[in-house]
Amino acid sequence: MSDPTGKYSIAMPRAIAEAAKARSGPSGRSAYVAAAVARQVERDNLNELISVAEAEHGPVTYEEIQVLRKQIHQARKQQDQGGAHSA
């Protein structure tokens, strides 16, 4: 069951409104805008979580990020190679 909806009036730059209108598809502008706002709320929540974690543990360094990206890349490569051969 979906959440109850409400009707709201918002102001936005015309170019953004026209782009949303052009891209909204059959679900309509309301669904398009609601999805965009939901994504922004998720990003804001994630940024808050990152801030709390960094306050507690310190910031993640560029080098740490690169090491983790390499590990993810290697894991995906192994998964792709193993996925074709596993039953």
Side-chain angles (χ1 to χ4, degrees):
M1 178 177 252
S2 64
D3 289 335
T5 60
K7 193 167 189 160
Y8 303 95
S9 175
I10 61 169
M12 69 176 73
R14 187 177 311 270
I16 293 173
E18 292 300 321
K21 180 179 179 182
R23 290 173 173 79
S24 61
S27 62
R29 276 179 279 178
S30 291
Y32 188 86
V33 171
V37 171
R39 280 191 304 275
Q40 185 61 48
V41 169
E42 289 173 354
R43 291 179 68 124
D44 292 345
N45 289 340
L46 181 57
N47 284 334
E48 289 173 11
L49 180 63
I50 290 168
S51 293
V52 169
E54 285 185 339
E56 186 174 331
H57 303 286
V60 179
T61 66
Y62 177 80
E63 291 77 19
E64 291 170 321
I65 292 170
Q66 292 307 105
V67 167
L68 293 172
R69 282 184 175 159
K70 185 175 181 180
Q71 289 174 356
I72 290 170
H73 177 73
Q74 289 172 343
R76 285 181 178 157
K77 187 175 179 182
Q78 288 175 348
Q79 187 178 33
D80 289 344
Q81 291 172 349
H85 302 296
S86 53

